[in-house]
Amino acid sequence: MTTHTDTPETGGPATATDGPDAGPRRGAPSRAPRPGLSRGRVAGAVAALAGLVLLILLPLLNLSLPGVLPGPTYTPGSLQLLAMCMVMAAAALTYHLLLGVAGLLSFGHALYFGAGVYGLAIILQNLDIPLLPAMGLTLLIVIVLAHVVGSISLRVSGIPFAMVTLAFAQAGSVIVGRNPNGVTGGDEGLTLRTDNLPDFLVGVANTRNLYWLALAVLVAVFLVVTWVQSSRAGHVAAAIRENELRVRVLGLQPYLVKLLIFVLSAVLVCIIGMVFLLLQSGAVPRAVSADLTITLLVMVVLGGVGSRWGAVVGGVFYTILDQRLTTLANSDAVRSLPDILRVPLSEPLFILGTLFILVVLFLPGGLTGAAERLAGRSGRHNPRRGGQRADTSREILEEAA
């Protein structure tokens, strides 16, 4: 059977035969077969599954990583740090959905993280309802908030969009700081009320369960982000990132796709914020500050912009450094150094900032890009990741079709 379509270049008919010997359709970019791709995907899936099994069993093992973890992996302190790494890695994934997929540079992503933290804390504090209904009510509030903020912010793009999102986030931060009617707790934050929480999520003895909850959320967010990127909406969002004008010319609606990505990322980071509340047993003002959004941006850049695994690696790497560098700064070894070394090494943010500058200057693909180049796989690098040439918007749209 033969079908006729119009080519985008000439408007003339192009013939495609759907038989086994059919050649490539005219007007579409020809792609050479990539030998070993299926084998590579299988190997990657097996490695990921093995890593997931190891992470699940980690609280049951007696493993020590001196200088990285404060103790063996079964101790509450180490599990708390690992759970925080997973929470922040999941939050970085939601920012990757904005920046790496849709190309939206937002300075207000912490607003929805903080809405999840404070929303759930306030509801549990003032309403006598179980945890799951309280989480559902918080999600409903954040969905409405994200629709309102997104519908206004997405009327502009680029730096104006970033400034509008920052303005909304700053408004949320001011409300938290003003502590209206004593609801938010002001600078002291809110303590989590545990009356209606399940017993297996309360107390230091149950840190293991909170670790598994954080791991489950990270896996779920990773799967959702993967599904979105491979969906039609994800391909259109990637095309918008590359060339929004071309997408408009083709008759698509970039505004609706960007709003969908914006709301979805807000909902996901809201869920992560609620897990953060359970992990920290309280809400703190930093959860809605612009500093948190900048931290997520740094995580994505450190790992590699455009890479899902890069967001995860960047989130884990930054969180461990942020926690352990504080211990290093207060150690006797640093105090005994000369002032020219002691002063910078006693400031963890100085070290993190220096590391970020070095990565930006010398590792444009982030940590994951550097790892792939060291492994000799740069020729098979995903072209949509940092440091490599991106697919054109036309090719991306043809994938979506």
Side-chain angles (χ1 to χ4, degrees):
M1 184 179 67
T2 301
T3 58
H4 297 278
T5 58
D6 290 338
T7 60
E9 292 88 352
T10 63
T15 302
T17 304
D18 52 358
D21 299 325
R25 179 171 54 90
R26 285 190 296 163
S30 59
R31 288 185 173 84
R34 300 172 65 178
L37 183 60
S38 298
R39 184 181 304 173
R41 287 182 176 178
V42 171
V46 171
L49 183 59
L52 178 60
V53 171
L54 176 61
L55 290 176
I56 293 174
L57 297 177
L58 209 55
L60 308 177
L61 303 176
N62 184 7
L63 301 178
S64 297
L65 294 175
V68 178
L69 298 178
T73 52
Y74 66 87
T75 58
S78 295
L79 291 177
Q80 177 83 6
L81 176 57
L82 290 171
M84 184 59 63
C85 289
M86 293 174 186
V87 166
M88 298 312 297
L93 269 173
T94 66
Y95 198 83
H96 156 77
L97 195 59
L98 280 176
L99 181 63
V101 177
L104 298 174
L105 177 62
S106 172
F107 287 159
H109 201 50
L111 175 63
Y112 314 104
F113 182 88
V117 174
Y118 273 92
L120 182 59
I122 292 172
I123 290 173
L124 290 174
Q125 191 82 21
N126 297 278
L127 300 179
D128 190 19
I129 59 176
L131 177 61
L132 289 180
M135 295 178 71
L137 181 57
T138 305
L139 269 180
L140 181 61
I141 294 172
V142 170
I143 289 173
V144 174
L145 175 64
H147 270 94
V148 173
V149 175
S151 62
I152 297 173
S153 304
L154 290 170
R155 298 294 177 181
V156 293
S157 60
I159 298 301
F161 168 79
M163 293 297 101
V164 173
T165 56
L166 176 61
F168 278 107
Q170 286 297 99
S173 181
V174 169
I175 292 174
V176 169
R178 291 289 179 87
N179 190 23
N181 299 322
V183 173
T184 63
D187 293 336
E188 297 181 359
L190 281 178
T191 302
L192 176 63
R193 180 183 174 185
T194 60
D195 297 350
N196 294 323
L197 295 183
D199 292 338
F200 64 87
L201 294 178
V202 180
V204 177
N206 292 312
T207 306
R208 178 188 302 175
N209 298 328
L210 291 170
Y211 165 86
W212 280 324
L213 176 62
L215 176 60
V217 169
L218 173 59
V219 172
V221 171
F222 188 90
L223 292 177
V224 170
V225 172
T226 301
W227 172 71
V228 170
Q229 283 196 249
S230 61
S231 68
R232 187 186 183 98
H235 287 297
V236 175
I240 294 171
R241 180 195 66 218
E242 299 299 329
N243 192 331
E244 184 171 343
L245 179 59
R246 180 186 287 271
V247 176
R248 293 182 184 276
V249 169
L250 292 176
L252 301 176
Q253 299 183 20
Y255 176 82
L256 295 180
V257 175
K258 290 192 291 185
L259 181 61
L260 173 64
I261 298 294
F262 187 92
V263 173
L264 180 59
S265 66
V267 169
L268 291 176
V269 82
C270 167
I271 296 173
I272 296 164
M274 290 187 279
V275 175
F276 176 86
L277 173 69
L278 298 175
L279 187 62
Q280 294 292 95
S281 299
V284 292
R286 186 178 182 273
V288 291
S289 67
D291 292 344
L292 179 60
T293 302
I294 300 301
T295 298
L296 297 178
L297 173 60
V298 171
M299 290 176 180
V300 171
V301 174
L302 282 177
V305 178
S307 167
R308 293 187 299 273
W309 285 110
V312 174
V313 171
V316 172
F317 185 72
Y318 182 96
T319 304
I320 290 179
L321 282 181
D322 186 43
Q323 297 289 328
R324 302 309 294 167
L325 286 178
T326 303
T327 303
L328 174 65
N330 297 325
S331 65
D332 295 334
V334 172
R335 291 196 187 99
S336 62
L337 293 174
D339 289 346
I340 191 173
L341 295 176
R342 178 181 57 80
V343 173
L345 290 179
S346 62
E347 296 293 337
L349 289 179
F350 175 84
I351 301 175
L352 286 172
T354 303
L355 177 64
F356 177 74
I357 293 173
L358 293 175
V359 169
V360 171
L361 290 178
F362 300 107
L363 300 176
L367 298 176
T368 54
E372 289 183 356
R373 287 192 293 272
L374 289 175
R377 298 189 302 160
S378 57
R380 297 193 300 273
H381 191 271
N382 187 340
R384 258 174 273 173
R385 292 182 180 176
Q388 300 291 331
R389 184 185 63 84
D391 283 350
T392 64
S393 56
R394 174 186 164 195
E395 292 171 335
I396 298 172
L397 286 171
E398 286 174 344
E399 289 180 2

